[in-house]
Amino acid sequence: MAGDSSKYVFSNCNALFHRVLLIKERLEPRGVPQLSSKGPDLLDDHTSACASVLSFGVFQLFLGLFRFGLVVDFVPIPVIVGFTTGAGVQIIIGQLGTLCGIKGIDTTQAPWQVLGSFLRKLGELPKSKYDLIFGLAALVFILAIKFTCAHLAKKWPLFRFVGIMRNGFAVILFTAISYAVHNSITISIVGTVPKGLSGLPQPNLAPSYLATVLKAVPAAMIVSILEHIAVAKSYGRINGYNPDVNQEIVAIGVSNFVGAFLGAYPATGSFSRSAIKSQSGVRSPMAAFFTAVIILLALYTLTDAFYYIPNSVLAAVISAAVTDLFASPRTIAHLFRSHFVDFICFWIALVVTFFSTIEIAIYSSVAFSLVVLLVRIARPKARLLSRTETAGWIDAEGEGYSQINKTLLPTPPGIIVFRPYEALTYPNSSYIASTLKAQILKSFRYTGVARSKGERSWDDDTEERAARAAAAANTASASSLGSYDRERLRAPAQLPPLRAVVFDFSAVNAVDYTGLQMLLDLRDDLHRFAGRRVPFHFAHVRRDQLKTLWDVPESAAAARDPVVAGTVQQQEDAVSLEDGWNGRFFHLSVDEGVNAADLETAEVLTAETQFLTS
């Protein structure tokens, strides 16, 4: 048990490494600088960071421990791919100035602005030519070892470890060269690194201070979680594992909570640092412990050796490490072929990251994905099914069988088999009902009570629509249609009357109250259309849906049309959906439902036959 608990505290993303969240930029727009009027030292970077990091930790622990990580599942893979590709572009653009030794570039701006600043300062390149030489040489060195060792490791596996250590080799080699030539050339180096740890400030927990600082915490915390999970999922995809979202949130929450009392800044997942760890072959979060130990030892013993590390070499290490973040051309082409909306999501995340910030890219791409999701739910597919000799009941048009006429068998006249491809819930119930009624108007003859316009509601045009649909079927050219489609486009007098509706609920995973009300209202509309009760039969209904159908009372149905009440409901008792609880209207297969509907309404077919012969 203890082992499980301790594991839950750590991130399960092997290569994930944290970076400092730029909390200062997030706090200033929220009005926090007003506190600076109360004293010159009240609002410095460290004070605001420590107060914020404690809030981050508390809220993130709450979200992770209470399993609210499911919200992150609304971030689709194409968004993550576009976001990580954009982050890789942003990182490399941000390193261009350091790689070339050009100073004075504000890398906190949007990537396109950083790139513009870099291009405007290219005139300074001759002054920093040695930085450029060191940077390009280190970049070529790292990539050469990477690809050479990857090729040689196929035959000699030990070369894999040589490839893993390429970043360390590059830093050691070019630091030695920098030390050897520092008296003869001028290059940008790391310089003096203070030894040990400085004072550890504590978070300011004064209520007046926290009340102002906390205004900026929610937005920044959401961004930090999304960014952290995006990094975790990206490297999970690259390295073949699936991160636990709640565990990741708990891990970052613990990190921030503890860090608040150690003078830490708020942290989130870092693409560049995680890329270096991933490329170094990290396979366990324990790597972070060794990293911390080495950093502490280095701060006390090796700071003099850091003095001559060229900044351009560090930029080369980071730039080479993030190359795996880019989506390959094959991945982009696959997104385009598989689903164009996902392709658009990818480009929104990538383009917005380039022209704005990572935060706005996350917001915009996720918002677009949610809109697409809502549209899919509100406007789902709903199709008529056709019987085949071998494949059961299929959507003949949607599944590509419309031209294979010999495999399609006729449905008993007057019976329609209808399959919704989504849950029957409040966003889509009206649309699904309208789709079914439109199909019925095209396929069946109106046999309801003939009423003048004065006898029906002013907006009830069912009879006119039925007449237009029948006329369209009569005049449609059947020369280019198969025999199956020609059978469905018969003359008005030859269209059969509606006998029953069989619903295939195999794709329906939920039915809410609005969905039930839609079925009850639809039943009334079909009563009116057919002039008789039209039974509903259901196939593949789940147990929880059966309970829902049973619990909704008959009185919940919409008010009956008075003409229908005077003609149909006086002749036979109204049968609600609950009557199917005894198995009469609920079936294990579509075939059972069709056969039951055919037997139940046989007298309608007999009456129709007598009508046609007379």
Side-chain angles (χ1 to χ4, degrees), residues 388-389 401-409 483-484:
T388 65
E389 295 177 345
Y401 286 88
S402 58
Q403 302 302 321
I404 312 177
N405 298 322
K406 64 180 181 179
T407 64
L408 297 178
L409 302 178
S483 60
Y484 175 74

Side-chain angles (χ1 to χ4, degrees), residues 465-483:
R465 292 172 60 195
R468 288 195 300 268
N474 188 32
T475 58
S477 174
S479 58
S480 61
L481 300 177
S483 60

Side-chain angles (χ1 to χ4, degrees), residues 144-365:
I145 293 180
K146 174 183 177 180
F147 292 110
T148 301
C149 290
H151 177 73
L152 295 176
K154 297 177 182 178
K155 188 174 182 180
W156 297 287
L158 288 178
F159 277 97
R160 175 178 174 272
F161 299 99
V162 177
I164 288 174
M165 295 185 290
R166 61 185 178 273
N167 295 322
F169 290 154
V171 171
I172 293 173
L173 174 63
F174 287 95
T175 300
I177 296 175
S178 171
Y179 175 77
V181 300
H182 73 279
N183 290 325
S184 55
I185 63 174
T186 301
I187 58 173
S188 175
I189 57 178
V190 171
T192 303
V193 178
K195 287 189 176 183
L197 297 175
S198 58
L200 301 179
Q202 299 300 304
N204 187 341
L205 302 180
S208 59
Y209 186 89
L210 286 177
T212 307
V213 171
L214 288 177
K215 295 178 181 179
V217 168
M221 182 189 67
I222 292 172
V223 170
S224 71
I225 291 176
L226 289 177
E227 194 169 347
H228 180 94
I229 299 303
V231 176
K233 287 188 174 182
S234 298
Y235 285 99
R237 177 176 52 84
I238 293 172
N239 297 315
Y241 57 86
N242 186 29
D244 183 332
V245 174
N246 291 294
Q247 182 176 341
E248 294 296 332
I249 296 176
V250 169
I252 192 175
V254 170
S255 174
N256 283 323
F257 183 81
V258 175
F261 301 98
L262 299 175
Y265 273 67
T268 185
S270 169
F271 273 111
S272 56
R273 292 164 179 79
S274 299
I276 294 174
K277 291 182 68 177
S278 178
Q279 290 298 307
S280 298
V282 168
R283 291 294 180 268
S284 167
M286 194 64 180
F289 172 77
F290 289 104
T291 300
V293 171
I294 292 173
I295 289 175
L296 287 174
L297 291 175
L299 285 175
Y300 282 100
T301 61
L302 299 177
T303 53
D304 294 338
F306 296 158
Y307 186 90
Y308 292 101
I309 297 178
N311 287 320
S312 59
V313 173
L314 296 180
V317 170
I318 295 174
S319 300
V322 300
T323 54
D324 284 341
L325 294 178
F326 295 119
S328 65
R330 179 181 298 179
T331 300
I332 299 174
H334 184 67
L335 284 173
F336 179 79
R337 290 193 304 267
S338 61
H339 200 278
F340 187 71
V341 173
D342 289 340
F343 181 74
I344 296 298
C345 289
F346 166 81
W347 281 107
I348 289 176
L350 175 58
V351 172
V352 176
T353 300
F354 181 78
F355 286 101
S356 184
T357 62
I358 289 179
E359 292 85 350
I360 296 178
I362 293 175
Y363 290 151
S364 57
S365 54

Side-chain angles (χ1 to χ4, degrees), residues 38-58:
K38 300 181 180 180
D41 299 325
L42 183 59
L43 185 70
D44 56 28
D45 288 349
H46 235 154
T47 304
S48 62
C50 289
S52 300
V53 73
L54 180 62
S55 304
F56 272 48
V58 171

